[in-house]
Amino acid sequence: MGKILVTGGAGYIGSHVVKKLGEENFDILVVDNLSNGYKEAVTYGELLVGDIGDQKVLDKIFENQIDGILHFAGSIIVPESVEKPELYYQNNTENSLKLISRAVKENVKGFIFSSTAAVYGESKKEIVTEEDQVAPTNPYGASKLMTERMLQDISNVRDLNYVIFRYFNVAGSSDCGKLGIRGENATHLMKVCAQAATKKRESMTIFGTDWDTKDGTGVRDYIHVEDLADVHVLGIKHLLAGGDSALLNCGYTQGYSVKEVVSEFKKVSGVDFSAIEGERRAGDIGCLIANSEKAKSLLGWTPKKNQIETIVKSAFEWEKKI
Ligand code: UDP
């Protein structure tokens, strides 16, 4: 058996997947440029520090026999993508093409791509299936959607199967207490609330109270990072066993509003932090919830941490720790 390559394996989601793969005795090679990742987060396997956009790094990677790839490396912040679209098309689209092309050449058996619910954009439906219309409203979503298409088109004519996972809103941290979201410049709601609840910031802003949702604030489907890591392990096993390509949503089919998340954080922490009602944020949408029946039926995925209280507690405990 060859190795499993995990790009971005020192980052938030990648590091959780590396841990689960390690626990199942996979031979792992992590490649991360450490722009958002941390060496200490790589709890299994070998770490190669470098950028997958760099030809020399790709050459180094493929000195190993790579059987499967989980491709997490990329840029992930919606408002930043609006400000710096070039960066997003380079990191998420151009560099992915380099990796996919090389994977084909090197006879890699399976490729897992981390995509995003942001590809749906402002959906006409509250709960979206993989067949629903895609219409990203920001460069982040567009850059991921382009990579999905490249992977599908290439897979149609080459010997490379894929699983594309469209993540909804990932949150929480590992029970082991070693892994979670780091970084000071938080933009994601769960992280921002965790900082407010631990008094690392004085207040947080609710971006828009005039959305067409249950209480006027944005509604999202928050998924615990450990459940997300589980589905990746199932995905790579599926591909290594010769399974067909698939495009799969990852969420819980439950939507929580910004106000509901804020109030859960206040309850869990006992801290009544200030939540200021502000304007909508550029590139945002009102509501997005996943239908994830396909991931469950195809891969036998069973979410275990789908309580908002569990997710919020986990995010809060991690924030207290760091
Ligand atoms: N949000 C907010 N205040 C913040 C960060 C986010 O009100 O400080 C809202 C945002 O407008 C959206 C939801 O929380 O409705 C989730 O945003 P996040 O950035 O966490 O993820 P996204 O869905 O944009 O990928």
Side-chain angles (χ1 to χ4, degrees):
M1 261 271 291
K3 289 184 196 276
I4 301 296
L5 170 67
V6 184
T7 75
Y12 171 50
I13 300 171
S15 65
H16 282 84
V17 174
V18 166
K19 179 171 171 280
K20 298 249 180 199
L21 289 170
E23 286 166 357
E24 299 218 15
N25 298 316
F26 281 94
D27 192 3
I28 304 158
L29 173 61
V30 172
V31 176
D32 200 302
N33 65 9
L34 301 183
S35 61
N36 261 313
Y38 296 82
K39 274 190 190 120
E40 314 83 77
V42 180
T43 52
Y44 287 90
E46 180 194 340
L47 170 65
L48 173 63
V49 178
D51 199 296
I52 52 145
D54 180 345
Q55 200 60 42
K56 287 193 201 82
V57 173
L58 286 180
D59 291 342
K60 185 102 194 123
I61 291 170
F62 288 99
E63 283 172 11
N64 300 274
Q65 186 201 324
I66 304 292
D67 284 350
I69 298 179
L70 294 110
H71 179 37
F72 296 97
S75 299
I76 58 156
I77 298 169
V78 170
E80 184 187 50
S81 79
V82 177
E83 301 292 320
K84 300 177 187 168
E86 299 89 345
L87 179 74
Y88 278 67
Y89 291 113
Q90 181 175 326
N91 285 348
N92 295 349
T93 314
E94 198 180 324
N95 289 352
S96 295
L97 177 59
K98 288 182 184 163
L99 182 63
I100 296 165
S101 310
R102 188 64 184 259
V104 169
K105 241 181 165 172
E106 304 279 351
N107 299 313
V108 172
K109 295 192 187 93
F111 194 104
I112 302 237
F113 177 57
S114 51
S115 188
T116 169
V119 299
Y120 293 110
E122 188 68 88
S123 172
K124 288 181 189 69
K125 289 155 74 185
E126 298 220 315
I127 301 176
V128 291
T129 67
E130 294 83 353
E131 288 72 37
D132 282 321
Q133 187 195 310
V134 283
T137 57
N138 51 61
Y140 167 63
S143 67
K144 288 282 188 177
L145 183 60
M146 286 179 175
T147 301
E148 287 192 5
R149 266 307 287 271
M150 293 187 315
L151 191 50
Q152 289 166 325
D153 290 344
I154 291 170
S155 175
N156 278 340
V157 291
R158 310 275 175 253
D159 192 16
L160 178 73
N161 281 0
Y162 64 84
V163 174
I164 295 166
F165 288 116
R166 288 180 176 162
Y167 311 157
F168 283 62
N169 291 61
V170 190
S173 63
S174 165
D175 281 343
C176 75
K178 286 189 197 156
L179 309 175
I181 307 186
R182 293 172 199 256
E184 296 307 307
N185 303 324
T187 63
H188 288 118
L189 179 67
M190 286 273 175
K191 180 78 179 172
V192 168
C193 286
Q195 290 178 334
T198 50
K199 303 190 175 162
K200 291 180 189 174
R201 62 165 74 213
E202 277 177 16
S203 63
M204 59 82 58
T205 303
I206 297 174
F207 295 138
T209 50
D210 58 349
W211 295 103
D212 184 17
T213 58
K214 48 185 156 185
D215 59 17
T217 67
V219 168
R220 297 288 186 277
D221 190 344
Y222 295 92
I223 167 172
H224 196 292
V225 65
E226 292 207 293
D227 278 335
L228 188 67
D230 283 343
V231 82
H232 283 77
V233 176
L234 294 169
I236 195 71
K237 285 181 175 168
H238 167 83
L239 291 176
L240 293 177
D244 289 340
S245 295
L247 170 62
L248 306 171
N249 281 342
C250 298
Y252 294 146
T253 321
Q254 54 194 22
Y256 287 93
S257 72
V258 176
K259 281 188 174 167
E260 286 172 329
V261 170
V262 166
S263 109
E264 193 61 40
F265 264 97
K266 289 186 178 182
K267 194 175 95 197
V268 161
S269 65
V271 177
D272 188 22
F273 58 84
S274 155
I276 300 157
E277 297 189 359
E279 296 296 310
R280 290 182 179 191
R281 181 174 67 177
D284 263 359
I285 52 163
C287 174
L288 203 56
I289 300 170
N291 173 319
S292 297
E293 286 312 309
K294 245 170 104 181
K296 290 180 188 161
S297 60
L298 182 74
L299 301 178
W301 178 50
T302 318
K304 299 185 189 85
K305 304 207 159 186
N306 50 356
Q307 305 290 320
I308 192 73
E309 194 186 352
T310 309
I311 301 173
V312 165
K313 267 189 182 154
S314 159
F316 176 62
E317 289 305 323
W318 168 256
E319 198 61 45
K320 276 199 295 188
K321 212 179 121 80
I322 54 170

